[in-house]
Each structure stands twice: as structure tokens, then as C-alpha cells.
């Protein structure tokens, strides 16, 4: 099969494009780009840098993927962007490559939705099945766990993490002004197949961490003990053990 490339698109001869890819009018694809099967790129999209895009992604008009990072430390080093399968990247989304000072690659998993005007900065790691609502922005070196939801205009400060299944309210700022926890995402957990018993376990863990007045180290110890009988708490325990910047609390 031959890719369907609009006559006005500029696709470098060095780009590796699967046979059933669509590339729309006036889009630009650079020489170090790989695009997987079934991906559709709309008009006026720019995909540049050392960028790998997997299968069945849909990238809408005016998105920019793989551009150099917005970081004063960046000095032209070879860095990369890696995007998995089945992602939706809407209008005016920007996803930037990594920096040599960190991972060197910005990584996005599978099945994510990036709504209009969202931004993924350099060296970020985004898991699977996340949703970035309109204008959600994450700074450099941020990690977003699977199934996380970022509300419209939510922001995440550099080097912070958002855990799996977390939800940030519209306009929320992680690590500032001040950020505060508001409860467990019960409806989101139900939609993802968690049982009533599982959700009750998560709520008890939340109470231990946020409502019992325990010092953080004591709360960590209590949750680690609880996880021995409730393995679904293991990701929370691991998150707390590897939190270099502390947690919203």
C-alpha cells in the first residue's frame, strides 16, 4: 500500500510512513519521523524531530508533535518523542521532545485523549488511557499515571507526578496555590471495573492518608501493611515510597 499524502503536504523522503497512513493538506513531516499503520494526520500538522508515532493515532489540524523543548538548557542535543497507539491529539496540541539533562525522550502511551490546546512538555511520561481536557498543561519532567483525568485548564508543575486513576478538577494547579485533595474518584473507578469492595478499600486508604491526622511516615507504614491483604493498594504504596517532592496533603 502507498500512504495517502495530500499533494500540498511536505513529507521528507527519509520519513518512514506505513502504507495506510493519511496525511492531510499542508502538513509537514520531518526526515526522522516514523508513523505507524492506520494513523491519520489532518491538515496543517507539523511532526518533526526524532519522533515515533504508533498505530491508529489521529492527529487533528494545527497540532505540533516532536518539536524541540521549550527549555533554556536545551543546546541542540539529539532527543526524541515516542507516542504509542490509538491516541487522539486534537487541535493546537503541542508535544515536545526530551532534553539531554533528563530522559532525553518524551513518552506517551496508548489510548490517550489530548483535547484542544493541551501541552505535554519535555521529558514527560504519560501512561495509558488518560484524558487531558481543553487547555490542560503539564510542565517538563512530569509523570501522569494510567487513566488519570486532567480537567480543563489544569496545570502540573515540573517534576510532579499524578497517579493512576487520579482526577484533577478544572483549573487545578498541582503543587501550588495550594493544591488540596478532595476525595476518591469513585465514579471513575466504577467505570473502570473496580468492585464496590475495591472502592471501599481505596476510600479507607484515602482516610488513612488524609483524614486520620497521621504523620506521613506513619500513614505510609499503615498503608504498606494494608496492602499485604489488599494488593490493589500496591500502586499507592509505591507512589508514596518514590515521591521525591512530597505529596499534595
Amino acid at each position: 500500500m502507498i500512504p495517502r499524502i495530500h499533494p500540498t503536504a511536505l513529507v521528507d523522503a527519509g520519513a518512514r510512513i506505513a502504507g495506510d497512513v493519511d496525511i492531510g493538506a499542508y502538513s509537514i513531516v520531518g526526515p526522522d519521523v516514523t508513523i505507524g499503520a492506520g494513523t491519520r494526520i489532518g491538515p496543517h500538522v507539523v511532526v518533526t524531530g526524532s519522533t515515533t508515532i504508533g498505530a491508529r493515532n489521529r492527529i487533528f489540524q494545527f497540532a505540533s508533535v516532536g518539536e524541540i523543548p521549550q527549555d533554556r538548557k536545551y543546546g541542540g542535543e539529539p532527543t526524541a518523542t515516542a507516542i504509542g497507539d490509538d491516541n487522539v491529539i486534537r487541535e493546537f496540541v503541542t508535544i515536545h521532545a526530551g532534553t539531554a539533562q533528563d530522559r532525553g525522550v518524551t513518552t506517551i502511551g496508548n489510548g490517550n485523549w489530548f483535547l484542544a490546546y493541551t501541552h505535554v512538555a519535555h521529558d514527560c511520561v504519560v501512561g495509558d488511557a488518560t484524558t487531558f481536557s481543553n487547555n490542560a498543561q503539564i510542565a517538563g519532567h512530569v509523570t501522569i499515571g494510567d487513566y488519570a483525568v486532567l480537567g480543563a485548564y489544569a496545570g502540573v508543575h515540573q517534576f510532579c507526578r499524578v497517579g493512576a486513576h487520579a482526577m484533577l478538577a478544572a483549573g487545578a494547579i498541582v503543587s501550588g496555590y495550594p493544591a488540596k485533595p478532595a476525595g476518591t474518584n469513585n465514579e471513575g473507578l466504577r467505570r473502570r471495573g473496580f468492585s464496590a469492595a475495591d472502592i471501599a478499600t481505596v476510600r479507607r486508604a484515602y482516610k488513612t492518608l488524609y483524614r486520620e491526622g497521621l504523620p506521613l511516615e506513619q500513614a505510609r507504614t499503615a498503608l504498606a501493611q494494608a496492602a499485604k491483604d489488599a494488593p490493589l493498594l500496591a500502586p499507592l504504596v509505591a507512589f508514596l515510597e518514590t515521591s521525591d517532592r512530597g505529596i499534595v496533603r
Side-chain angles (χ1 to χ4, degrees):
M1 295 179 66
I2 299 175
R4 294 178 290 275
I5 301 173
H6 193 276
T8 62
L10 299 177
V11 178
D12 193 279
R16 294 163 296 281
I17 311 295
D20 58 349
V21 167
D22 284 345
I23 299 177
Y26 300 103
S27 286
I28 299 173
V29 178
D32 298 319
V33 171
T34 299
I35 302 176
T39 290
R40 299 166 61 189
I41 295 177
H44 298 279
V45 172
V46 176
V47 185
T48 188
S50 178
T51 298
T52 301
I53 299 173
R56 300 175 303 280
N57 294 283
R58 185 159 185 201
I59 304 176
F60 284 73
Q61 56 267 26
F62 304 108
S64 175
V65 178
E67 192 52 88
I68 63 172
Q70 297 177 134
D71 190 318
R72 288 182 180 271
K73 299 187 298 299
Y74 181 72
E77 300 89 351
T79 58
T81 305
I83 297 175
D85 303 330
D86 301 303
N87 297 287
V88 174
I89 299 172
R90 293 300 305 242
E91 300 86 347
F92 298 100
V93 171
T94 50
I95 300 171
H96 289 170
T99 63
Q101 291 76 23
D102 191 6
R103 305 176 62 251
V105 58
T106 298
T107 304
I108 292 172
N110 306 315
N112 301 285
W113 278 45
F114 299 94
L115 303 190
Y117 294 96
T118 56
H119 175 63
V120 178
H122 57 88
D123 303 294
C124 288
V125 178
V126 178
D128 298 335
T130 69
T131 300
F132 285 54
S133 299
N134 296 70
N135 290 281
Q137 312 273 319
I138 61 174
H141 319 285
V142 164
T143 298
I144 306 293
D146 297 346
Y147 298 100
V149 177
L150 277 62
Y153 295 93
V156 182
H157 191 272
Q158 60 188 16
F159 295 102
C160 288
R161 294 186 301 153
V162 176
H165 304 284
M167 175 179 286
L168 304 187
I173 305 293
V174 173
S175 188
Y177 308 118
K180 295 181 179 179
T184 56
N185 182 15
N186 297 337
E187 184 57 33
L189 294 173
R190 289 190 194 98
R191 292 176 181 175
R192 290 164 203 144
F194 285 75
S195 69
D198 288 340
I199 293 171
T201 297
V202 172
R203 294 182 68 177
R204 285 194 295 272
Y206 179 88
K207 182 178 179 181
T208 298
L209 185 59
Y210 290 110
R211 296 290 183 258
E212 293 183 355
L214 297 174
L216 180 57
E217 192 56 42
Q218 289 185 24
R220 285 175 174 165
T221 300
L223 291 171
Q225 185 64 35
K228 293 178 180 179
D229 297 319
L232 79 116
L233 297 180
L236 174 60
V237 173
F239 185 96
L240 295 172
E241 289 175 348
T242 57
S243 181
D244 296 331
R245 298 198 65 186
I247 63 170
V248 172
R249 195 168 189 253

